[in-house]
Amino acid sequence: MKICYIYIMSNIKKTKKSASGTKNQKLLFEIELLAAILFSFLNLSFNADISLLALPIALIFTGITLYFSWFVMLNKKDSSKCFCVLKLTQYLPYVLFLTFILRRAGKKGTSFIYDLITVILWCIIFVSSIIISHKMNDKRIKDFTANWPKPKSKYEKPQGGARIAFEIVDWIDALVQAIFIVLLVQIFILQLYAIPSESMVPTFLIKDRVAVSKIDCGPKFPLTDVGLPDMRKYKRGDTIVLRNPHYSLDRKSEVKTVISQLIYMLTFMKVNTNKDENGELKADPLVKRICGEPGEQLVMQDGVLYTRTVKSDDFVANQMDAKYATWDLTGIDKSLLSKVETYPLSDISFDLNKSNYKDVLSSASENYQSMLDLEEERRNYDLNMAALQAKEIVRQFNSLAYKSNLLGDFSQDSLFEFDLFAHAADITNRLMNQNGGKEWFERFMTSWIDAKDQPFDMYAQSNFKLNVMTKITFGNLVLRYAQIFRDGKAGDLAYQEKDSIIQTNLKKAELLNKYIQSWLDSRNMPLFPANDENGNPQYIPKDCYFMMGDNRFNSLDLRHANDYSLKNLTPFDDLSVQYYSIIQPQYINKKYIIGKPVFRFWPTYRMARVR
């Protein structure tokens, strides 16, 4: 009797356990499928664009999964469909993730609440899929189907010729699933990033591979503002990965970026459609260093970044920035010198084998010192003495210019500093011979004098002095050419090329041109944010940051615009010398920060934690 009792009770427990297991199985599928159905209908779109594809794709795949999992496998307890249901369940969150993007890839997006509900449903589907896949894997399928009419002990692979096709499909399946997993990891957790440029030398070199942490930087679902909260506290000196603000970050461009990332992953990184309007691959995202924080106003002069806050009227040189800023690449670690591909300050480039390595470094070093010497000269430049010099140049020129002006009225449209120096002889000839030449030259040489005693900030004063130095050099050239022309040697180019005064001023003009056109906008930055119209300081807003690359002469960063434009060297001179400028500082909101490099893992000899 006791044995019979134990046997009966054991069967009752197994029956209860079986019933409980069946209920749990159905509950998991009910949760997943109900969430999938609701998610699918939320893909409804009324716009005649690509978003129309989202609903039918979601409904078709959800319907197939519903049919095989619920109506065939669970209700009929048909274990022959387990493998099919397993694969459908595994792919369901990935397919619906693609429809999520398609729905938002049209002309019009969706509201935050709409996105939030959809994301919650997708997360339920994703978690349910993981649990179901775990319960139905090869090791547990026996327990999953234990009380079915035909329990399944394992998933059997076909034999013979069909085995080859099965193995191929199985490898493709594993690869595609891996791609989707990697895609999700890259969006929300960790992304591997290849350094594309030398803007962060010596911290990073081209082709360095770094791991970028994203999970604490507020990753978002593609094309939405729904995601994890930004838990990282950013500070000056942090290296970060950010969206490139030089490209449009509007909805249309974001759609193109997300779709290009999907294509890039699904084609095994063979097809990259993330290109600009000229067909060039976008430099997006960027790796830069935080140099300006909320509540600060910045200015950079002669390579030194100065900061002030609302609590202080005085700018103070920022020591943290000086620690990372690299101006002279020839001074970096010797083991890295040969690995740098471009030395911006050098007048020559590497040949194919870098056999001119020492010449490149020598040129870069010489130019760096010439730059420092010019900056020192500018800092000590006496504007009062320059005013006297300008007036004397005008007086002497007026005594040399011809009295009878027979060649029409004088006109000088270009004040671009290179044009002034390059065509100084021709301009001098016209100044001497055309009506109004003397008057224009006098205005040009002295138009700055009334403004010389204004209370400039350090950047404005620097550019004002550069403008005067350029004018004085140009004036000296004009005066010397006028003397030569008066001596009847206007056509004697050999004589002019040997003239020491002309050559001295041309050499000075060459250095000024190099500094103004090539180095000025990398070496200096105006007050940022700019003062308001009443001269009151403005500051970087809350949650916004300013970034620069470490390699300051080779970094297109938040100091710069995307294109050059012709600008006056100073706004305090009506006839200012002009140059092609790219300076246009901006800050970005932290929502455009997409990650922080945490570890450099390739090449192995440079493996290190990113500081």
Side-chain angles (χ1 to χ4, degrees):
M1 289 294 292
K2 186 175 182 180
I3 294 174
C4 290
Y5 175 78
I6 292 173
Y7 176 77
I8 293 170
M9 292 303 296
S10 175
N11 280 327
I12 290 173
K13 288 181 180 179
K14 285 182 180 180
T15 302
K16 288 182 177 179
K17 185 177 181 180
S18 173
S20 175
T22 302
K23 288 181 179 179
N24 289 336
Q25 291 170 5
K26 287 190 173 183
L27 179 62
L28 279 172
F29 277 97
E30 284 174 351
I31 292 172
E32 180 190 47
L33 293 172
L34 179 60
I37 292 169
L38 293 174
F39 180 96
S40 298
F41 281 109
L42 285 176
N43 281 312
L44 179 64
S45 173
F46 297 98
N47 303 310
D49 51 37
I50 194 172
S51 63
L52 284 176
L53 296 175
L55 179 63
I57 293 174
L59 284 177
I60 290 171
F61 199 89
T62 299
I64 293 172
T65 306
L66 174 66
Y67 173 75
F68 281 102
S69 60
W70 186 263
F71 293 104
V72 177
M73 186 189 75
L74 288 175
N75 282 352
K76 296 180 180 180
K77 296 184 178 180
D78 185 351
S79 60
S80 66
K81 298 298 185 292
C82 285
F83 186 75
C84 173
V85 170
L86 173 63
K87 291 303 168 185
L88 287 170
T89 299
Q90 288 174 343
Y91 274 91
L92 182 62
Y94 305 141
V95 172
L96 295 185
F97 187 79
L98 291 178
T99 63
F100 178 90
I101 295 173
L102 281 175
R103 172 61 186 87
R104 287 149 184 82
K107 296 179 181 178
K108 296 182 180 180
T110 48
S111 69
F112 177 82
I113 296 299
Y114 195 96
D115 290 337
L116 179 61
I117 294 171
T118 312
V119 165
I120 291 173
L121 289 172
W122 185 86
C123 290
I124 293 172
I125 297 164
F126 182 67
V127 172
S128 300
S129 171
I130 292 175
I131 297 172
I132 291 171
S133 297
H134 175 74
K135 290 182 174 295
M136 291 184 66
N137 66 21
D138 198 51
K139 294 180 180 179
R140 296 174 180 80
I141 191 63
K142 182 177 180 180
D143 294 334
F144 190 83
T145 61
N147 297 292
W148 292 13
K150 293 182 179 181
K152 201 172 194 65
S153 59
K154 64 178 181 178
Y155 295 117
E156 297 178 357
K157 298 180 180 180
Q159 303 298 319
R163 180 65 177 268
I164 298 175
F166 177 85
E167 293 294 342
I168 293 173
V169 172
D170 193 45
W171 273 101
I172 294 173
D173 167 58
L175 189 59
V176 172
Q177 288 205 52
I179 288 174
F180 275 105
I181 291 296
V182 169
L183 180 64
L184 293 176
V185 169
Q186 285 198 141
I187 291 174
F188 298 106
I189 302 175
L190 190 74
Q191 182 172 3
L192 303 184
Y193 184 73
I195 303 299
S197 73
E198 292 189 318
S199 68
M200 288 293 288
V201 171
T203 307
F204 298 123
L205 301 178
I206 289 179
K207 296 182 180 178
D208 277 358
R209 299 300 200 270
V210 296
V212 178
S213 172
K214 303 181 74 173
I215 193 168
D216 57 348
C217 294
K220 301 292 186 287
F221 273 75
L223 306 178
T224 76
D225 290 324
V226 179
L228 299 176
D230 190 341
M231 297 177 287
R232 178 172 288 278
K233 301 296 183 182
Y234 303 102
K235 62 183 184 301
R236 179 180 287 102
D238 285 349
T239 54
I240 50 92
V241 178
L242 70 151
R243 296 299 310 277
N244 190 342
H246 296 106
Y247 299 117
S248 173
L249 297 178
D250 59 15
R251 175 177 166 69
K252 183 179 179 181
S253 63
E254 289 298 278
V255 168
K256 289 178 64 177
T257 297
V258 170
I259 291 176
S260 70
Q261 290 173 343
L262 287 173
I263 294 173
Y264 186 65
M265 294 297 298
L266 293 174
T267 57
F268 311 111
M269 294 175 284
K270 296 296 184 182
V271 179
N272 191 342
T273 61
N274 191 24
K275 299 180 179 180
D276 60 23
E277 60 274 9
N278 298 318
E280 300 292 331
L281 287 177
K282 286 185 175 181
D284 186 32
L286 300 174
V287 179
K288 301 298 174 188
R289 193 179 299 277
I290 293 178
C291 302
E293 299 180 291
E296 293 182 336
Q297 186 180 43
L298 315 173
V299 65
M300 188 162 66
Q301 189 57 51
D302 297 344
V304 179
L305 182 68
Y306 297 86
T307 63
R308 71 177 175 186
T309 66
V310 69
K311 296 180 181 180
S312 173
D313 293 332
D314 298 325
F315 280 102
V316 178
N318 192 276
Q319 299 303 318
M320 174 68 78
D321 187 73
K323 179 181 177 181
Y324 296 108
T326 303
W327 297 104
D328 180 16
L329 285 183
T330 64
I332 65 176
D333 191 299
K334 292 182 178 180
S335 64
L336 300 178
L337 287 174
S338 62
K339 296 176 175 61
V340 175
E341 296 184 9
T342 303
Y343 284 85
L345 292 182
S346 178
D347 291 329
I348 57 178
S349 302
F350 284 121
D351 56 26
L352 292 177
N353 300 316
K354 287 191 174 181
S355 60
N356 61 341
Y357 170 71
K358 291 185 178 179
D359 294 334
V360 172
L361 292 183
S362 177
S363 176
S365 183
E366 289 174 4
N367 277 328
Y368 182 69
Q369 187 58 51
S370 296
M371 179 191 71
L372 295 181
D373 292 342
L374 181 63
E375 289 178 343
E376 180 67 18
E377 178 187 352
R378 188 216 65 234
R379 285 192 292 269
N380 297 326
Y381 197 68
D382 190 327
L383 291 175
N384 291 321
M385 289 297 296
L388 295 175
Q389 191 176 1
K391 292 175 181 178
E392 179 60 20
I393 290 172
V394 170
R395 186 192 67 78
Q396 291 188 42
F397 177 79
N398 286 341
S399 68
L400 294 170
Y402 299 109
K403 294 182 179 180
S404 55
N405 300 321
L406 305 175
L407 300 178
D409 295 329
F410 180 83
S411 175
Q412 177 60 32
D413 296 328
S414 175
L415 294 181
F416 176 40
E417 50 84 22
F418 178 82
D419 288 344
L420 292 174
F421 290 136
H423 305 294
D426 175 65
I427 294 172
T428 301
N429 183 53
R430 293 190 295 110
L431 285 170
M432 295 179 70
N433 288 281
Q434 292 182 358
N435 288 321
K438 291 189 294 184
E439 291 77 9
W440 182 89
F441 185 65
E442 181 175 3
R443 288 199 311 274
F444 177 76
M445 291 300 299
T446 62
S447 57
W448 57 272
I449 293 178
D450 289 341
K452 67 181 176 63
D453 295 321
Q454 289 197 26
F456 300 115
D457 63 70
M458 64 179 77
Y459 176 86
Q461 184 181 59
S462 169
N463 280 19
F464 187 85
K465 286 184 175 181
L466 278 175
N467 175 63
V468 176
M469 292 168 70
T470 302
K471 287 192 170 190
I472 294 298
T473 304
F474 172 73
N476 285 331
L477 280 171
V478 168
L479 182 59
R480 184 54 181 162
Y481 279 123
Q483 292 167 343
I484 290 174
F485 294 166
R486 267 296 193 176
D487 292 339
K489 297 184 181 296
D492 192 344
L493 298 180
Y495 178 85
Q496 296 174 28
E497 290 174 356
K498 294 178 181 179
D499 186 88
S500 61
I501 297 177
I502 288 179
Q503 294 309 310
T504 298
N505 282 282
L506 284 178
K507 186 176 181 180
K508 182 65 173 292
E510 182 181 4
L511 180 58
L512 283 167
N513 172 69
K514 190 179 294 184
Y515 188 91
I516 293 170
Q517 197 54 54
S518 301
W519 303 335
L520 176 62
D521 284 357
S522 293
R523 188 76 170 156
N524 310 284
M525 184 180 73
L527 289 179
F528 174 73
N531 293 340
D532 64 18
E533 58 184 13
N534 297 318
N536 298 313
Q538 302 298 297
Y539 304 96
I540 298 174
K542 181 182 178 182
D543 292 334
C544 293
Y545 298 86
F546 173 76
M547 296 89 168
M548 291 189 282
D550 289 350
N551 185 6
R552 296 287 161 86
F553 282 122
N554 194 9
S555 177
L556 182 66
D557 50 46
L558 299 194
R559 292 171 292 174
H560 305 132
N562 211 27
D563 299 302
Y564 287 88
S565 59
L566 191 63
K567 294 182 179 179
N568 289 340
L569 195 52
T570 175
F572 302 100
D573 182 356
D574 292 338
L575 289 176
S576 170
V577 171
Q578 296 179 324
Y579 77 114
Y580 281 95
S581 173
I582 199 173
I583 200 74
Q584 188 179 311
Q586 60 183 307
Y587 49 74
I588 65 164
N589 191 282
K590 69 177 183 179
K591 70 179 182 180
Y592 294 115
I593 298 176
I594 59 178
K596 185 181 188 312
V598 292
F599 190 74
R600 185 177 58 231
F601 62 88
W602 189 264
T604 54
Y605 69 87
R606 281 174 50 76
M607 187 179 295
R609 184 166 69 92
V610 178
R611 298 183 181 276

